[in-house]
Amino acid sequence: MDYEPQSLESKWRQRWDEEGRYEADPDDAEATFITVPYPYPSGGMHIGHARTYTVPDVYARYRRLQGDNVLFPIAWHVTGTPIIGAVERLKKGEEAQLETLQDAFNVPKAELKDLETPMGYARYFIEDGDCSYKAGMQGLGLSIDWRREFTTNDDRYSKFITWQYETLKERGLLEKGLHPVNYCTNEEQPVTAHDLLEGEDAEFQEFTLIRFSSGDTVYPMATLRPETVRGVTNAYVNPEGAYVRATVDGEEWVISTAAAEKFELQDRDVDVHEEFPGSELVGDTVSNPITGDEVVVLPADFVDPDNATGVVMSVPAHSPDDYVALEEAKERADEIAAEYGIDADAIRAIEPVPILEIEGYGEIPAADAVAAAGIDSSDDPDLEDVTADLYQDEFVSGKLLDSYGDFAGEVIEDVRERFRDHHREQGNFDLMYEFTEEVVCRCGGDVEVAQQDTWFLRYNDEAWREKTRQAVANLECIPENTREQYDHTIGWLEEWPCIRNYGLGTRLPWDDEFVIEPLSDSTIYMAYYTIAHRIQDVPVEDLNRDFFDALFYGEDAVDDPDERALELREEWEHWYPVDVRCSANDLIQNHLTFFLYHHAELFDPENWPEGITVMGMGLLEGEKMSSSKGHVILPGEAIEKFGADTTRFFLLNSAEPWQDYDWREELVGNTHDQLQRFWNRAQETIARDVPDGAGDDRKHIDRWLLSKLQATIEDATAALDRFETRTASQAAFYNFEEHLKWYRRRADLDRPGAAWTLRAVLRTRLRLLAPFVPFMTNELHEHLTGEPAEEAAWPEPDPELQSPVTEAREQLVEDVLDDVNDIVDVTGTDPETVRIYTAADWKHTVFETVRETGPDVGAVMGKVMQRDSLREKGDAVNDLAQDLVEFVRERDDETLSALAELDEQAVYEQATTFLADEFDADVEVYAEGHDPVDPDDKAGQAVPFRPAIHLE
């Protein structure tokens, strides 16, 4: 039977669907509940998504083979505005949007009309289009219970979210107030990271505004280093930039046009009087609010008027980029003076003003840093790194000079916030919020930081934080080093704005002008999976607060509990808690931590999440995947070309789940070829007749292979328990293939005992590989045994088949084969005779002493020198002991004990026929000290388990 993955896989998909194979209902078995983030269908499914959903599928299939009752559901996240934005861009005929839909996701032009409503768009990528998520997931053979799917726009799901937010509000964890938010200037509403096209990782920072002034006019300058205010020597504006004079909160300010718009968003009263180019500000002098010094405003093309206030203060003593800029301004002093009417000598007279001292630098640290790096131009790409390095050094070790009065002598790290707060109270400083990079909404609008009167979740509530920290402490974090990331996120999270002005999703229960935003409605939806298929029988109007209280808190939670809610509670209790949550590493800082927060507050500890596995990112031919650039592979394309099993196996073998991986078509093709070879060999094994009693005719090499199989079972099981899908699949497939290659070299494959062994091995390996390549393994296992692999149990090691001695014996044969090959390669000889010399008995005595004493040369020598026969060998014993100490240190006790049981010479003698065939030469085995044929005196070089070799 030829390997034709497409027809084979189609057969099994249909069979699973007809059987309802993965529809999970409560029973007496151990429950395992596995979830993965539900997709946001603002575009089609690509190969990166395929890996995200296949990894948990492997674990689900593994747990089923272990006998668990496994629930692996999926749903569809449509909340918010990204889909609405995509529809609007489509309706406007934006070229980039059309290219993404048609080139990346192969949407036929005739079907674009179907995507011109939000839910029409969503449905297309959920299930209607060829590149839909559902088609991709089913094509990959994901073992999902499809009865439980829903969208976050469904009426019943919205009732569930309503219950959650009414509960949080009642508990004082939801409040209304002024709060900085990411604000789309196009949509005129707050947005979150999930709504962004660019700058998804950008964070807004609180900048200090230093209130420089000229008369009654304020020239606010933003900085993250307010303590450097005494070192300001001049200011910069962009002469080509747009600036304004405006009344801001009753004062006249000079700022960029962009800054005026930002201040208005940040809840300031802004009235613009005059707009003019920055060139009109060049030459102005402004007063430092702390020192009273007058500083001049100079022109600089590097000033970005869209960043902060557009007016920049310069501290050349402590900022390498400011230092270089000032030196360049001095060189251009005559040119600047001629163009702007400034005194050139006044520019040349500007000198850096130090404000701190730091070990390892001179009076002007920036000058030292620039000189050390050999930087002589502001265009030098290393200048940014040099600036960052000096900033860090000064922050950690810099001590303020005496001019700072009460703050003098303090380290910047300790004093910065107190210094800032002191001068805010004095009215010298103010604040504004700004992003660290450009941020763009999916609708195409610019995103700025705005102060909004909004509803927010109080993630900084100490009691809530403490519960969540406990949830993290109870959590199995995979990999373990992610645990500190959760704790770190809990530490910095403050209030989280949880509403939007419009979009898909659940309306805020007490103010239906607002919609609960995407991250905020996706925190405990896993609980909804457990009852999603059955709650459809309950009328929407009956799903009130009491209904869900009874469902999640029991009959004592309400006065008159709804019996339907109590029935649903039984199902929820069967599946909860979530055993494994698989998600992206970059979601720790929001979704995954929110997931823990809400579970910690709304449920008892026994129902808190038990484990989270984070996932790495995917590359395509070495480059980041990009739907907008058409740089994606669709699962359907991969499955059509290579088959679902190949697609799965490559994704799972490329890296561990939390590591990044790279889809490379050539390597995927190699994976397909390897699976085809596996199929062909399996067919040969299945086709062979194995007579009754053949298993009783096992030889040493059969026992060796079966023993290796038991170790493989142990390795694969341990790896899957740790969620190491790559390690597990490597053990079961590639590593064991190497054992089979050796077995085929060593064994007489025509023997009935060999046929029996190969069938036994195949039967076990098919079950080990079933989670990874379910189509192929089910088919082959059914041919072999009459039942699919997924209906068999996960294999367990058989102690009777485990034999360390057998494995150690065969390892000696393999080692001596490699040693002879190495000598042949180095010398270029074609031997007619191969002589193998095993170590003398006294050397084995030393080995036994090392094994019993441990890898301590002194202790070993103390014991062996008590023997007269060894003491007289002097240095030879010492040299051997040191050699054997290293040998013992590299091996575990089980292997050493097995070696101690072996008759090394007998092992090589029994392998002479094999070795003779390998080298087409006579093979002779001798023992050192028993008059061996030894023309080149090689025998004396023999060491226990590392024989000396002579080629002739």
Side-chain angles (χ1 to χ4, degrees):
M1 180 178 177
D2 293 336
Y3 180 48
E4 297 177 353
Q6 284 73 19
S7 60
L8 167 68
E9 291 162 5
S10 176
K11 163 190 163 181
W12 281 95
R13 287 188 202 101
Q14 181 177 352
R15 180 163 161 180
W16 290 332
D17 183 56
E18 291 172 353
E19 293 174 353
R21 176 75 195 178
Y22 306 114
E23 294 176 358
D25 295 307
D27 61 18
D28 294 333
E30 181 75 20
T32 294
F33 185 17
I34 302 166
T35 72
V36 67
Y38 42 23
Y40 196 98
S42 58
M45 182 179 180
H46 59 63
I47 206 69
H49 302 126
R51 195 229 195 188
T52 297
Y53 302 116
T54 302
V55 167
D57 181 66
V58 168
Y59 191 73
R61 290 178 175 279
Y62 165 63
R63 294 311 310 174
R64 289 191 191 96
L65 286 165
Q66 289 275 24
D68 289 5
N69 185 21
V70 177
L71 175 59
F72 180 34
I74 204 72
W76 315 104
H77 197 198
V78 301
T79 304
T81 60
I83 288 175
I84 293 175
V87 169
E88 291 304 312
R89 294 195 300 277
L90 169 61
K91 290 165 72 174
K92 290 176 183 176
E94 287 188 11
E95 185 177 346
Q97 177 70 350
L98 290 172
E99 287 179 354
T100 297
L101 293 174
Q102 294 180 284
D103 297 344
F105 297 121
N106 301 331
V107 180
K109 189 173 182 180
E111 296 181 11
L112 289 173
K113 195 71 178 174
D114 298 337
L115 279 64
E116 291 188 355
T117 65
M119 286 309 295
Y121 190 102
R123 282 292 169 199
Y124 186 88
F125 289 115
I126 290 172
E127 60 188 350
D128 294 342
D130 291 340
C131 60
S132 71
Y133 278 89
K134 196 164 185 179
M137 292 174 176
Q138 290 175 330
L140 288 163
L142 303 189
S143 56
I144 289 169
D145 184 347
W146 290 105
R147 298 173 303 162
R148 299 171 189 262
E149 65 176 315
F150 58 87
T151 78
T152 56
N153 209 42
D154 293 351
D155 289 343
R156 288 175 175 80
Y157 181 78
S158 289
K159 292 292 187 180
F160 165 72
I161 297 299
T162 295
W163 165 79
Q164 179 185 178
Y165 276 80
E166 286 178 341
T167 302
L168 292 172
K169 182 172 181 285
E170 182 184 84
R171 298 183 184 186
L173 298 174
L174 203 65
E175 288 187 355
K176 191 173 188 181
L178 202 61
H179 193 78
V181 298
N182 300 356
Y183 187 85
C184 174
T185 56
N186 182 41
E187 295 177 346
E188 298 185 341
Q189 70 163 350
V191 291
T192 65
H194 283 207
D195 303 312
L196 302 180
L197 190 64
E198 297 178 23
E200 299 96 322
D201 298 326
E203 297 179 2
F204 53 75
Q205 292 180 304
E206 184 179 293
F207 280 75
T208 297
L209 295 182
I210 311 297
R211 291 168 53 88
F212 287 81
S213 62
S214 177
D216 293 331
T217 301
V218 178
Y219 289 65
M221 304 185 199
T223 181
L224 294 171
R225 305 182 70 197
E227 74 283 354
T228 63
V229 64
R230 284 186 169 272
V232 175
T233 60
N234 61 281
Y236 292 113
V237 295
N238 189 319
E240 304 298 324
Y243 289 79
V244 299
R245 292 183 189 276
T247 301
V248 179
D249 294 340
E251 295 180 311
E252 183 173 283
W253 284 18
V254 171
I255 50 180
S256 68
T257 302
E261 295 168 355
K262 294 175 186 177
F263 283 125
E264 192 164 14
L265 286 173
Q266 293 180 22
D267 199 44
R268 292 181 182 266
D269 185 10
V270 179
D271 183 16
V272 174
H273 308 308
E274 177 187 3
E275 186 168 348
F276 48 86
S279 57
E280 293 188 15
L281 297 173
V282 176
D284 287 358
T285 58
V286 294
S287 176
N288 188 318
I290 304 304
T291 66
D293 294 339
E294 297 291 321
V295 298
V296 66
V297 177
L298 298 179
D301 293 339
F302 60 76
V303 173
D304 181 2
D306 289 338
N307 185 39
T309 67
V311 187
V312 179
M313 68 185 204
S314 172
V315 187
H318 301 283
S319 174
D321 48 5
D322 285 351
Y323 179 83
V324 173
L326 178 59
E327 292 302 304
E328 291 177 341
K330 289 181 178 182
E331 292 173 4
R332 296 177 51 243
D334 291 334
E335 179 185 335
I336 294 171
E339 184 172 355
Y340 297 103
I342 305 175
D343 182 354
D345 289 338
I347 298 175
R348 283 190 282 265
I350 299 173
E351 292 297 333
V353 177
I355 61 104
L356 59 81
E357 58 185 6
I358 177 173
E359 188 175 346
Y361 294 88
E363 183 181 14
I364 309 297
D368 293 345
V370 167
I375 292 173
D376 57 12
S377 167
S378 56
D379 295 328
D380 192 316
D382 292 334
L383 182 57
E384 183 177 351
D385 290 338
V386 171
T387 299
D389 290 344
L390 179 57
Y391 278 11
Q392 181 62 24
D393 289 346
E394 291 191 342
F395 180 71
V396 174
S397 305
K399 295 181 179 180
L400 292 175
L401 298 178
D402 291 344
S403 58
Y404 277 81
D406 292 342
F407 299 101
E410 295 211 48
V411 175
I412 303 301
E413 185 175 14
D414 299 330
V415 78
R416 175 175 291 169
E417 291 187 7
R418 286 189 288 114
F419 182 83
R420 178 200 64 196
D421 294 345
H422 171 76
H423 284 289
R424 277 189 190 170
E425 293 171 5
Q426 298 296 315
N428 299 318
F429 294 172
D430 206 323
L431 69 88
M432 76 175 295
Y433 295 98
E434 181 63 286
F435 282 115
T436 54
E437 62 184 275
E438 184 180 15
V439 183
V440 179
C441 181
R442 287 184 183 271
C443 73
D446 290 332
V447 177
E448 302 290 354
V449 184
Q451 289 270 30
Q452 289 268 300
D453 194 27
T454 186
W455 285 95
F456 55 82
L457 290 155
R458 297 181 54 239
Y459 287 141
N460 58 355
D461 178 85
E462 271 310 314
W464 201 2
R465 273 181 167 162
E466 188 51 40
K467 283 188 206 174
T468 310
R469 288 191 182 100
Q470 190 57 51
V472 173
N474 296 344
L475 192 68
E476 181 180 11
C477 298
I478 299 177
E480 173 61 30
N481 62 15
T482 56
R483 187 181 307 280
E484 62 189 33
Q485 296 180 49
Y486 295 106
D487 287 327
H488 176 71
T489 302
I490 292 167
W492 64 254
L493 266 180
E494 296 292 331
E495 298 94 350
W496 178 265
C498 61
I499 59 170
R500 298 292 175 262
N501 295 341
Y502 72 96
L504 300 178
T506 302
R507 294 279 165 184
L508 195 65
W510 51 90
D511 191 346
D512 64 7
E513 289 186 14
F514 299 103
V515 178
I516 297 172
E517 62 91 19
L519 281 170
S520 297
D521 83 341
S522 58
T523 53
I524 61 166
Y525 68 87
M526 312 80 198
Y528 192 79
Y529 277 135
T530 66
I531 46 92
H533 60 311
R534 295 175 58 190
I535 204 170
Q536 302 301 317
D537 297 331
V538 182
V540 173
E541 57 271 18
D542 292 351
L543 299 177
N544 54 27
R545 179 82 177 276
D546 282 354
F547 184 92
F548 286 106
D549 277 350
L551 197 166
F552 294 116
Y553 301 140
E555 59 183 340
D556 295 335
V558 296
D559 292 336
D560 185 19
D562 190 315
E563 287 299 322
R564 295 167 297 182
L566 297 179
E567 289 176 8
L568 293 178
R569 177 174 174 77
E570 293 178 5
E571 178 127 6
W572 175 72
E573 287 185 314
H574 176 79
W575 296 115
Y576 245 61
V578 175
D579 293 274
V580 176
R581 175 74 173 163
C582 295
S583 193
N585 186 70
D586 59 349
L587 295 183
I588 290 177
Q589 64 184 339
N590 46 60
H591 163 71
L592 285 172
T593 303
F594 297 174
F595 162 67
L596 295 172
Y597 260 95
H598 287 246
H599 274 81
E601 176 59 34
L602 293 168
F603 302 124
D604 292 332
E606 60 267 23
N607 284 315
W608 291 352
E610 295 196 341
I612 298 178
T613 297
V614 299
M615 310 284 280
M617 303 295 289
L619 301 175
L620 174 57
E621 304 295 344
E623 297 181 11
K624 183 178 179 180
M625 295 187 201
S626 171
S627 300
S628 61
K629 296 178 181 178
H631 189 61
V632 293
I633 293 290
L634 306 183
E637 295 171 345
I639 292 168
E640 183 178 354
K641 185 170 185 177
F642 299 108
D645 276 333
T646 294
T647 301
R648 290 171 62 104
F649 208 50
F650 178 82
L651 291 170
L652 296 161
N653 263 290
S654 298
E656 296 296 4
W658 50 90
Q659 298 171 332
D660 295 345
Y661 65 98
D662 189 359
W663 177 274
R664 292 186 178 268
E665 186 159 314
E666 181 181 356
L667 299 181
V668 180
N670 292 342
T671 301
H672 173 271
D673 295 344
Q674 290 158 346
L675 287 177
Q676 181 156 20
R677 284 194 292 273
F678 177 86
W679 170 274
N680 293 340
R681 290 223 184 247
Q683 291 288 357
E684 294 171 5
T685 299
I686 293 168
R688 282 193 64 179
D689 181 52
V690 179
D692 293 341
D696 298 332
D697 184 33
R698 281 177 274 170
K699 305 297 184 185
H700 155 75
I701 196 63
D702 304 319
R703 292 191 292 273
W704 171 82
L705 186 63
L706 292 170
S707 184
K708 284 293 186 183
L709 182 63
Q710 309 317 302
T712 299
I713 295 170
E714 290 178 340
D715 291 344
T717 303
L720 282 178
D721 284 341
R722 298 188 302 264
F723 234 91
E724 295 173 358
T725 52
R726 181 181 189 274
T727 299
S729 57
Q730 289 278 330
F733 191 80
Y734 293 104
N735 296 353
F736 202 84
E737 283 296 310
E738 293 302 311
H739 299 327
L740 281 170
K741 286 180 184 177
W742 180 255
Y743 176 78
R744 293 184 186 109
R745 288 173 72 178
R746 289 280 279 137
D748 174 5
L749 299 179
D750 292 331
R751 289 183 300 106
W756 183 93
T757 298
L758 289 173
R759 284 178 72 96
V761 166
L762 178 62
R763 184 168 58 250
T764 297
R765 289 185 77 206
L766 289 173
R767 286 180 282 157
L768 291 175
L769 292 168
F772 304 95
V773 283
F775 300 97
M776 170 186 285
T777 53
N778 274 317
E779 183 78 11
L780 291 172
H781 198 276
E782 193 166 65
H783 288 175
L784 182 65
T785 69
E787 67 174 358
E790 62 191 352
E791 291 182 9
W794 182 259
E796 294 184 2
D798 184 346
E800 293 186 3
L801 297 177
Q802 292 175 306
S803 177
V805 173
T806 300
E807 292 188 40
R809 173 182 169 185
E810 196 60 22
Q811 188 62 53
L812 289 180
V813 175
E814 189 171 355
D815 289 345
V816 80
L817 177 73
D818 290 341
D819 290 344
V820 173
N821 276 322
D822 288 343
I823 297 171
V824 168
D825 290 342
V826 170
T827 61
T829 57
D830 182 12
E832 293 183 2
T833 302
V834 175
R835 296 187 178 93
I836 299 171
Y837 304 97
T838 59
D841 292 343
W842 71 267
K843 293 181 179 180
H844 280 275
T845 300
V846 175
F847 166 74
E848 278 301 312
T849 304
V850 175
R851 185 175 75 86
E852 293 170 358
T853 305
D856 181 330
V857 174
V860 170
M861 292 302 295
K863 285 192 174 182
V864 298
M865 287 304 174
Q866 294 176 17
R867 295 173 178 255
D868 294 341
S869 60
L870 294 177
R871 187 167 56 252
E872 66 187 22
K873 298 183 182 297
D875 291 343
V877 174
N878 185 61
D879 292 343
L880 178 64
Q882 293 189 48
D883 198 3
L884 289 175
V885 160
E886 290 303 313
F887 180 85
V888 166
R889 185 176 285 127
E890 293 170 358
R891 287 159 178 80
D892 58 41
D893 290 343
E894 184 179 65
T895 300
L896 294 171
S897 296
L899 288 170
E901 292 185 35
L902 292 176
D903 180 341
E904 186 180 2
Q905 184 172 355
V907 169
Y908 301 133
E909 288 173 344
Q910 291 164 11
T912 53
T913 302
F914 165 70
L915 295 171
D917 290 342
E918 287 287 317
F919 297 110
D920 191 22
D922 293 332
V923 176
E924 301 170 359
V925 180
Y926 300 99
E928 178 191 2
H930 290 269
D931 297 322
V933 176
D934 190 9
D936 288 345
D937 293 327
K938 293 284 187 179
Q941 299 173 11
V943 174
F945 315 113
R946 284 181 294 179
I949 295 168
H950 175 252
L951 305 185
E952 183 175 273

